[in-house]
Amino acid sequence: MPHAGPHGTTPHKRIMSTPQRPATTAASPETQATEESAPFLVYAKLVGSVTLWGGTWIAGRYLAQHITPFPAAFIRFAIASIFLLWLTKRVEGRLPGLNRTNWLQLALLGLTGVFAYNAFFFTGLQTTTAGRAALIVAAIPAVLSVYSAIVLKEPFPPRKIAGVLLSFLGVALIVSDGNPAALFDQGLSRGDLAIFGCVASWSVYTLAGRRAMTRFSPHTSVTWSCVLGSLFLLIPALANDLPQVTFHAGWLDWLCFIYLGVFATGMAFSWYYEGVKAVGPSRAGVFINLVPVTAVVLGFLILGEPLSHSLLAGGGMVMAGVWLTNRPVKKRNC
């Protein structure tokens, strides 16, 4: 999650183009070395950002086993808000204020992408494994494609239809443990239903974010959505013993909170947008597909989560479907 990513998608479309360098004479050896090393650093940061986002499922799964959802979500985004306020001030030189015109739009981002998403996130991870949850959420691009086709009347060619169907079938394979027909008899578990709530809330956040990005920079929108989302989380967190949770949290809990708030939100977000500015949104966006893969691998290595045949097969179908859904349409020359 940009918090992204939590999750495999990002709503931000306002990308600053990299200014062109003026023509110069022969570059010095030092300049050539810097330019040659730049692509490596850019791609290393992109891989680092999606790895950090994949790790959110591991940290979230650990915290969800003994901390209730609202206090966990509030502490995470209180830390993230403080860090992002500092980061935005450092990057943009100022902290943009809120007014009557923009606060409702940014509040919607905080309500959907922070409050709702993380309530579902920590609730689902109480009973659902990290890898399983991450692969379900990876189907968000398919949901957005269906919405765009029905509501926004965007083109929905056979390739996209196939990608959406493949993604949904992969999710069905995952949540049914390899027997989709059993869903009609047994239904979905409470944890899986909560993770589907993540899909719904992040889809709304993404659609609202597209409009917000026409008016605000990525840092501004993410920072204020975190701040406002934290305020929305405060009352239910207090109602669920926030002071006691804060007092009794262990050092590993705080390590997870700092990881989620500082590294997986602030650092990963910043690195990802450095990559977007350097190589463009299309190339950078490809790396988002590594988030659920990273979550599955880390879940296996750190938490000892099993890698069942249905999980691997369903995950492969989801990722193939997402690739088909997001694959750009080639324009034919007349």
Side-chain angles (χ1 to χ4, degrees), residues 3 70 73-74 76-82 84-85 96-116 118 205 212 216 219-236:
H3 78 254
F70 284 111
F74 174 79
R76 170 188 180 177
F77 280 95
I79 294 172
S81 296
I82 294 170
L84 283 168
L85 285 169
L98 296 177
N99 55 48
R100 293 181 181 179
T101 304
N102 63 24
W103 86 269
L104 281 175
Q105 201 168 22
L106 294 172
L108 177 60
L109 297 183
L111 187 63
T112 56
V114 176
F115 178 86
N118 283 274
Y205 172 78
F216 312 110
H219 279 97
T220 297
S221 62
V222 171
T223 298
W224 280 118
S225 66
C226 281
V227 171
L228 295 173
S230 298
L231 293 177
F232 292 140
L233 287 166
L234 178 58
I235 293 178

Side-chain angles (χ1 to χ4, degrees), residues 186-213:
Q186 302 173 5
L188 294 170
S189 69
R190 175 176 175 268
D192 289 339
L193 281 172
I195 298 302
F196 277 108
C198 289
V199 174
S201 56
W202 193 261
S203 297
V204 175
Y205 172 78
T206 301
L207 294 168
R210 287 179 178 177
R211 179 174 296 181
M213 284 307 99

